[in-house]
Amino acid sequence: MPGKSHSAYRCTECGASQPKWAGRCDACGEWNTLVEEVVARTAKGRGGAGARGHGGPAPVRLGDIAADAAPRWKTGLAEFDYVLGGGIVPGSVVLVGGEPGIGKSTLLLQVAARLEAAGVPTLYASGEESPEQVRLRAERLEEDTDGVPVLAETVLERIIEQAGVIGARVVVVDSIQTAYTDALEGAPGNVGQVRECAARLMRFAKEAGPAVLLVGHVTKGGGIAGPKTLEHIVDTVLYFEGENTLDHRILRATKNRFGGVDEIGVFAMTAAGLVPVANPSEAFLAARHAGISGSAVTALMEGTRPLLVEIQALASKAGFGTPQRVSAGLDHRRLSVLLAVLERRARLPLAELDVFVNVVGGMKLTEPSSDLAVAAALISSVRDRALPPEALFLGEIGLGGEIRAVSAADRRLAEAARLGFRRAFVGSRTSLRGGAAPGLELVRLEHLEELAHRLAA
Ligand code: TYD
Ligand code: MG
């Protein structure tokens, strides 16, 4: 071992390093941001011959590198492979984050079972559950899990050692919060431990070549293990989300060194584990009752795939005081803007109404392309008049009430046509490269007022 390890303390806010722990960072003045970390080598050792000695890799011309240098292991769980960009890349570290109980352990056990069955040696290291508990979960699954080696271990060095002993090519660590390295004094789960364990697994993956799948619990703030530093270390970050009351779960790539970000995969949680949903739009619209006022459908782009979702609005007479504005899946401020624009530009009387907006299925509206659908749902609710069935709404609304075109309109419209939609209300400048989708009548709108008129006719 070159040099001897010792500890230092790094600020998770500004990155400054200091030799002693303090409640407050000297450099930026933030409180409670210093975490312990291992300094592996002395400055001299780092500058001179490192662990690799003088014979480190030589530069290679880009043209001389084989393009398909990274083969991937496909699990056969279609949506999982898709979100990763076509399967697991050897030597990569993937973090799977999500709230407790969402199904992370189930997903990764299924992944391990599929890989093992396909001849890729795996190791499922669980620091959260005993082998018996893992076995109980396995019994519910339809997968053939018998061949998966399970290790109940929290000491990271031993997990890595065992992975080497059995020659595992894919190592699952469930979870990073229970993993522990002797190099640091802090308890498992503290930021320093989590970061150091992730960094060690990263080194293990890069040097020995197996892929590592890490489970990370999401904290109340929504981040994995507090600061975002863990996300910077790993190659790929997947979030597993969904509402506990609903059966479907969404796997979303928020970082991916080997594929696209914002791609999603949809699964259904069944009594026999997670089943990929082949037709997500259909699943999201399954519970919809056409003919009810306040319901409108729009098409979101999730990565490169279009997804149809239902937006529900309810406007009802407010009691005393300031009317309520409550939204789920739509940014609060965006709703306020849309309400103000509807009131001023389309003369929709909203000032004395409580307004509730909900995106069905736990999806979030992150792009303004869904503005028109929110407006249509609100108009429909205020008038208590259902929107035309089989109509799609696609457009961004400006402060003047003008309706703007959205990106990737052709892909969104094609998805709507595929699901039997007949009419699409869109911004007048919407450009369609591949021509209109078959069977879909386009209603081009300049202004919100036109929408209000059209829907009254
Ligand atoms: P789990 O994978 O333990 O979640 P996490 O690791 O993210 O904490 O799954 C938790 C839930 O999934 C649990 O409430 C039971 C449910 N479940 C099913 O509905 N079907 C199944 O086949 C399995 C294994 C779990
Ligand atoms: Mg778990």
Side-chain angles (χ1 to χ4, degrees), residues 313-326 335 339 349-357 378 381-382:
L314 182 67
S316 71
K317 188 133 183 26
F320 294 106
T322 320
Q324 299 185 64
R325 268 80 225 261
V326 182
L335 176 61
L339 291 173
L350 289 158
E352 274 146 38
L353 299 177
D354 285 338
V355 171
F356 307 94
V357 173
L378 282 162
S381 178
V382 168

Side-chain angles (χ1 to χ4, degrees), residues 99-228:
E99 286 174 18
I102 204 72
K104 301 180 294 298
S105 301
T106 305
L107 178 68
L108 293 183
L109 187 57
Q110 287 183 238
V111 164
R114 298 262 179 142
L115 290 169
E116 195 67 43
V120 180
T122 61
L123 174 65
Y124 188 97
S126 178
E128 308 229 319
E129 291 156 319
S130 66
E132 290 73 25
Q133 284 170 308
V134 177
R135 164 90 207 171
L136 278 179
R137 174 181 297 108
E139 270 166 15
R140 299 182 59 176
L141 305 177
E142 225 150 74
E143 322 278 344
D144 174 15
T145 52
D146 286 356
V148 178
V150 175
L151 177 70
E153 181 59 82
T154 55
V155 178
L156 191 81
E157 286 74 14
R158 273 186 244 145
I159 295 174
I160 291 178
E161 186 191 316
Q162 286 302 320
V165 169
I166 64 169
R169 305 309 294 149
V170 176
V171 180
V172 176
V173 178
D174 186 0
S175 65
I176 190 67
Q177 275 96 353
T178 54
Y180 176 86
T181 169
D182 290 327
L184 294 182
E185 296 201 333
N190 92 13
V191 182
Q193 279 285 356
V194 164
R195 267 178 18 133
E196 183 57 26
C197 286
R200 280 174 187 234
L201 285 167
M202 192 76 181
R203 237 173 291 142
F204 166 60
K206 300 299 165 207
E207 282 166 14
V212 177
L213 307 178
L214 291 177
V215 169
H217 293 295
V218 167
T219 55
K220 272 179 253 114
I224 293 173
K228 294 260 176 188

